[in-house]
Amino acid sequence: MQMRRAGAVLASATMALALSACDDAGGSSVVEKIRNNGEVSIGTKWDQPNLSLKDGDGDPEGFDVDVAEYIVKELAGGRKVTITWRESRQANREALLQNGTVDMVVASYSITAARKNYVTFAGPYVVAHQDTMVRADASDITTATDLKHKRICQVPGSNSYKRITESPPDGQLGLPARLVAANDYPECVKKLLDGELDAVTTDDMMLAGLSSHDPDQYKLLNDPFTDERYGVGLKKGDEATCEAVNRAVAKMWQDGTAAKLLRKWFGETGLTLPTKPPPAEKCG
């Protein structure tokens, strides 16, 4: 009886070691998965011109996409990697990371204190600034503080409206604006043109892309009032990948790629483009 029990214990331990070995082969972190399996799934937005826009059956294109591809190439150490792109909207980014649908999110994903409770952030790879866009003929809104009692857009999962209506840390101005719901920022822009909104306020890079197809219809106030640190979202606790991504981002700025990509996607939008790398987040 004791011999059979000892054999069972030994078999159980052997199976556990085998499973552990399989886990190690697959990689317990995203950077290991990339290097061992040659594949990775990345969440991006699919409706953000110049940042990440998916048109038809092709892959998404934009600044965020190019940054993600650069980072993956660096993490792979020269190995070939297959990237699966998945749509990651404002409202579901944390859930996609937590349930393993995506390995990382590169989607104009501002690093905030509240989000850090659920996500490990690497980067930031660039700093945007919240600004405000109005119709070209608007004259009653010239600064963000003029949004008091005005109709602004509220997109699920976005913090932009909170910057207007709430106080720090995740808010900013604490103004009593009127919120109008929309599913995404392209819908916000449509509501603005249709007269259902007085302004759309969010990151200047997003506004520049959204207005680029018909710039005569819109006016950006050029009144930035926040620093939006775009980070790479990872599953909570994946510090190894966080450190590897931070090294890749540092190299991207050092070798001139960051400046090149910013010029590629925003060089003709009128934005003042950053020239220095932002300080990296601590991964611990």
Side-chain angles (χ1 to χ4, degrees):
M1 181 69 71
Q2 289 179 343
M3 289 290 290
R4 285 198 294 271
R5 286 175 180 167
V9 170
L10 181 59
S12 177
T14 302
M15 182 176 292
L17 286 172
L19 290 173
S20 177
C22 290
D23 289 343
D24 289 343
S28 58
S29 66
V30 172
V31 66
E32 289 176 351
K33 175 181 178 180
I34 290 172
R35 292 172 180 171
N36 295 339
N37 297 350
E39 59 185 26
V40 65
S41 59
I42 301 179
T44 63
K45 295 176 183 175
W46 288 5
D47 59 0
Q48 299 291 312
N50 297 45
L51 280 166
S52 184
L53 181 67
K54 190 176 189 302
D55 188 11
D57 296 329
D59 291 336
E61 296 182 340
F63 177 72
D64 281 349
V65 176
D66 287 352
V67 168
E69 289 177 339
Y70 181 97
I71 289 171
V72 168
K73 183 178 179 181
E74 290 300 311
L75 266 55
R79 299 174 181 85
K80 182 177 175 58
V81 178
T82 299
I83 298 177
T84 299
W85 301 100
R86 302 191 187 281
E87 185 176 17
S88 177
R89 302 168 71 91
Q90 278 98 337
N92 67 358
R93 289 176 291 200
E94 288 82 13
L96 292 177
L97 286 168
Q98 290 170 351
N99 65 25
T101 301
V102 299
D103 297 310
M104 62 175 67
V105 172
V106 187
S108 55
Y109 201 4
S110 294
I111 301 169
T112 69
R115 288 171 177 163
K116 287 169 73 172
N117 291 322
Y118 309 99
V119 177
T120 289
F121 280 105
Y125 54 90
V126 75
V127 177
H129 309 281
Q130 184 160 336
D131 207 335
T132 303
M133 184 170 73
V134 297
R135 291 181 294 275
D137 59 357
S139 59
D140 58 337
I141 302 174
T142 59
T143 68
T145 54
D146 292 333
L147 295 176
K148 183 177 181 180
H149 301 308
K150 299 295 186 180
R151 296 169 299 170
I152 65 172
C153 213
Q154 180 183 19
V155 174
S158 173
N159 279 331
S160 294
Y161 73 92
K162 295 181 181 179
R163 308 291 201 212
I164 303 296
T165 61
E166 298 181 10
S167 300
D170 285 338
Q172 191 76 18
L173 302 181
L175 299 176
R178 296 161 57 190
L179 301 178
V180 177
N183 292 317
D184 50 39
Y185 280 103
E187 184 179 346
C188 291
V189 174
K190 183 179 185 302
K191 285 178 180 287
L192 177 66
L193 285 183
D194 291 345
E196 299 176 46
L197 288 171
D198 299 305
V200 177
T201 176
T202 189
D203 306 350
D204 52 6
M205 287 185 167
M206 294 171 61
L207 293 175
L210 289 165
S211 63
S212 62
H213 68 286
D214 196 0
D216 293 338
Q217 294 267 27
Y218 314 100
K219 179 169 58 179
L220 267 65
L221 299 188
N222 194 24
D223 178 39
F225 58 94
T226 69
D227 289 337
E228 303 298 331
R229 299 173 299 142
Y230 284 0
V232 176
L234 303 165
K235 192 168 185 178
K236 184 70 173 176
D238 190 353
E239 296 181 16
T241 305
C242 178
E243 297 287 358
V245 170
N246 281 350
R247 290 191 292 271
V249 169
K251 182 178 178 181
M252 183 178 70
W253 279 92
Q254 291 166 359
D255 66 16
T257 299
K260 178 181 177 181
L261 295 179
L262 285 166
R263 287 194 302 270
K264 173 183 175 181
W265 293 106
F266 298 101
E268 298 183 3
T269 64
L271 288 182
T272 300
L273 303 179
T275 58
K276 297 180 180 180
E281 278 289 300
K282 293 182 178 179
C283 295

